[in-house]
Amino acid sequence: MDLVVRGARVADGTGGPSYTADVGVRGGRIAEIARTGRIRGGARTVLDGDGLVLAPGFVDMHAHSDLALLRDPDHSAKAAQGVTLEVLGQDGLSYAPADEKTLAGVRTAIAGWNGTGDDVDFDWRTVGGYLDRLDTAHGGRGIAVNAAYLVPQGTVRAYALGWDDRPATPAELDRMRRLVAEGLEQGAVGMSSGLTYTPGMYASGSELTELCKVVARHGGYYCPHHRSYGRGALRAYAEMLALTREAGCALHLAHATMNFGENEGRAPELLALLDEALAAGADLTLDSYPYTPGCTTLAALLPGWASAGGPEAVLARLRDDATAERIRHALEVEGSDGCHGVPVDWSAVEISGTTDPAYSAHVGTRLDGWDTARRLLLGDRLGPTILMHVGHEENVRAIMRHRVHTGGSDGILHGAKPHPRAYGTFPHYLGRYVRELGVLSLEECVAHLSGRPAARLRLPDRGLVREDFRADLVLFDPETVAAGSTYERPRALPTGIPHVLIDGRFVLRNGRRTEVLAGRSVRRTGVHM
């Protein structure tokens, strides 16, 4: 054996009872599990698993590491949490497929998520090219953790017809179908949308249904950030259920929660809607993060009409006093679609990062009104990232208990004061919601974070501690595992996770990040390229 873990408590990712066993690894796979007695024969490395839980590596079903994996070979933000696979291309906006013009617009639009990308060589234009780039990153050594990709519907729409607020022509819809199909054929696991972000929000339900039919034919899933998490949230969820039912497409609801004052205590209504769909045969899963605040860009709050035409058009409208007053009225009085139909409460909006260091003094402050927001949007060219303090703990707990729930950090790594979920989601589940609160059992929580997401991704040999499965594994101490990240120290690393392996190679050993880059693209076929 390359490695034998002796006497660990195995939580195998199925949700079934844990058990004590020796687990042997050879050639990057789990070679033997001995529940009684010991694995016999030699091993290059033997780990004492007494007091530790051995689990499948965690899958971050909603990650924003699209550029971070290329920039940072260490990537302890996720590796130290026990994450061995991230799903990128989220919320309908990422960097492939794209031409030069589309790429320029996307880089500006999501600079608050990932930075401007000035330090990245954008030498790809297709989904396959981006996945190849991950595989050959850092001098051909690869990336810190594995990564899968969703075709971003907003980027596809920008590529096919620009950032205009109008229906697609038949020819443009055909082009979008081809772009989605090509991305799936090149290895994407599905398609994402950001339906409160431009230009994805301009797509009608019928347009989305046609694209979901393409996703279904290729065996992928649809992952929408739907049209509202505030006023109209239940209608927005129902729209996604209806259009994927019509398309025959699997559905995974991104950061599924119920936010803002209108939805306090209403998670049971959402769960009843989901249970009804499941009973009718829906192929349905969801993800969430175990925190109450949300995180997005300040520009995302603007009404859709103000964002038509792309980032430069948005900036022009903000510079015009009369148009800026219309935007203010939409935000503060009407409740803009970008703010989920709810009039904005500026005191709930905290600046978490800026692109231009000249505005860094605003980081950590709550906004005092539209004038400050407008000045930041213009000065930082739509770059500010924000925390939205609009969630409800009882909703968070109710949703994470659901049988189709999975874990997703929605972690934005860019910015001076990011949301602590980026560095803490997975140990926070295990420390806070398993050990301290008992909301989930340990075995059930591990299944939410490993086996269930691997099944959604249709990965035939990941997500379980099972013989011949890939040795993507995490060992943690159930008595001490906890998120180190807080709102004051958002980049502090977790405690209680001494070892993480990908393909049987230590990426974290004795609590320290190794130099190993074992991550690669994980493509729709399930083949690890």
Side-chain angles (χ1 to χ4, degrees):
M1 296 289 178
D2 299 322
L3 167 70
V4 170
V5 181
R6 299 276 190 206
R9 175 185 172 187
V10 177
D12 65 5
T14 65
S18 56
Y19 56 87
T20 300
D22 283 7
V23 176
V25 173
R26 183 171 51 232
R29 292 185 179 270
I30 299 170
E32 184 178 349
I33 301 172
R35 296 200 190 199
T36 58
R38 285 197 162 194
I39 291 176
R40 304 199 178 278
R44 291 186 179 89
T45 301
V46 177
L47 279 182
D48 181 2
D50 184 39
L52 299 178
V53 173
L54 175 65
F58 303 141
V59 179
D60 189 341
M61 286 296 288
H62 194 102
H64 288 285
S65 303
D66 306 48
L67 299 185
L69 282 166
L70 298 175
R71 287 190 181 106
D72 179 15
D74 182 82
H75 200 50
S76 286
K78 296 301 176 67
Q81 293 188 60
V83 171
T84 58
L85 171 61
E86 298 184 89
V87 185
L88 313 176
Q90 298 288 349
D91 294 325
L93 288 167
S94 190
Y95 305 97
D99 57 10
E100 294 290 335
K101 182 178 179 182
T102 304
L103 183 60
V106 169
R107 286 177 63 180
T108 300
I110 57 175
W113 295 354
N114 300 314
T116 60
D118 292 340
D119 54 346
V120 174
D121 180 8
F122 289 88
D123 57 354
W124 68 86
R125 292 295 178 268
T126 65
V127 169
Y130 173 71
L131 296 175
D132 289 343
R133 181 77 158 79
L134 294 174
D135 291 337
T136 59
H138 307 299
R141 296 171 61 213
I143 49 179
V145 304
N146 295 314
Y149 189 77
L150 296 163
V151 179
Q153 170 260 329
T155 301
V156 165
R157 198 174 207 272
Y159 195 172
L161 63 124
W163 298 72
D164 296 337
D165 182 2
R166 63 174 177 82
T169 67
E172 289 164 343
L173 183 56
D174 281 342
R175 190 179 188 199
M176 285 190 280
R177 289 192 190 99
R178 287 195 301 273
L179 289 168
V180 172
E182 289 168 2
L184 291 159
E185 289 160 4
Q186 292 165 14
V189 295
M191 180 181 76
S192 74
S193 283
L195 300 179
T196 65
Y197 302 133
T198 57
M201 70 189 310
Y202 303 140
S204 66
S206 60
E207 180 181 311
L208 296 170
T209 300
E210 290 303 308
L211 298 182
C212 283
K213 289 177 181 177
V214 176
V215 175
R217 284 198 295 272
H218 287 81
Y221 68 92
Y222 181 42
C223 179
H225 162 133
H226 49 269
R227 298 190 194 275
S228 176
Y229 290 81
R231 184 177 296 166
L234 291 174
R235 289 195 304 275
Y237 281 112
E239 181 194 13
M240 297 300 101
L241 291 166
L243 71 84
T244 50
R245 181 173 61 247
E246 181 179 347
C249 185
L251 174 63
H252 180 85
L253 295 164
H255 38 60
T257 188
M258 299 282 285
N259 289 335
F260 300 93
E262 288 85 342
N263 292 315
E264 185 172 2
R266 297 187 68 189
E269 297 176 56
L270 167 61
L271 301 179
L273 183 68
L274 302 184
D275 286 337
E276 181 181 355
L278 288 163
D283 183 354
L284 169 65
T285 49
L286 58 91
D287 67 65
S288 74
Y289 47 83
Y291 298 87
T292 52
C295 180
T296 187
T297 61
L298 181 58
L301 304 185
L302 300 177
W305 61 262
S307 299
E312 294 304 323
V314 181
L315 291 166
R317 292 187 184 99
L318 288 168
R319 282 190 289 266
D320 180 78
D321 289 343
T323 308
E325 174 57 25
R326 286 182 60 207
I327 295 171
R328 183 204 64 78
H329 189 269
L331 282 165
E332 295 182 351
V333 180
E334 298 171 358
S336 79
D337 46 4
C339 196
H340 306 273
V342 179
V344 67
D345 174 6
W346 293 116
S347 68
V349 180
E350 178 184 354
I351 301 297
S352 59
T354 60
T355 300
D356 186 339
Y359 297 91
S360 61
H362 292 273
V363 172
T365 66
R366 304 284 182 112
L367 289 179
D368 58 6
W370 167 242
D371 289 345
T372 302
R374 180 190 180 193
R375 185 170 66 254
L376 283 171
L377 287 166
L378 282 169
D380 200 31
R381 290 185 54 79
L382 311 182
T385 309
I386 59 173
L387 300 184
M388 291 282 287
H389 296 270
V390 293
H392 306 285
E393 179 67 16
E394 69 275 26
N395 286 348
V396 169
R397 296 188 193 187
I399 290 166
M400 73 170 65
R401 290 188 185 102
H402 198 273
R403 66 186 186 279
V404 300
H405 171 268
T406 67
S409 71
D410 196 11
I412 294 174
L413 302 169
H414 176 70
K417 192 174 180 285
H419 196 303
R421 69 193 186 193
Y423 284 73
T425 285
F426 296 86
H428 198 50
Y429 268 119
L430 294 165
R432 176 68 172 158
Y433 289 92
V434 171
R435 183 180 63 247
E436 296 179 9
L437 298 177
V439 174
L440 297 169
S441 72
L442 185 145
E443 293 85 354
E444 185 181 10
C445 185
V446 167
H448 286 224
L449 305 182
S450 59
R452 188 174 299 157
R456 161 50 70 218
L457 294 168
R458 299 183 179 176
L459 302 177
D461 60 354
R462 298 178 194 269
L464 301 176
V465 179
R466 183 170 290 175
E467 289 180 0
D468 204 37
F469 271 50
R470 291 190 178 273
D472 295 353
L473 302 168
V474 56
L475 286 110
F476 64 89
D477 183 341
E479 299 303 319
T480 63
V481 63
S485 60
T486 64
Y487 294 100
E488 293 73 32
R489 298 178 63 244
R491 287 190 168 88
L493 296 179
T495 58
I497 303 178
H499 307 295
V500 179
L501 299 98
I502 295 177
D503 270 2
R505 302 168 66 193
F506 284 96
V507 298
L508 195 76
R509 188 168 188 175
N510 297 318
R512 294 182 178 274
R513 179 73 173 92
T514 71
E515 294 183 356
V516 168
L517 294 175
R520 298 295 184 273
S521 66
V522 175
R523 311 198 186 205
R524 186 184 53 83
T525 59
V527 175
H528 190 175
M529 305 296 287

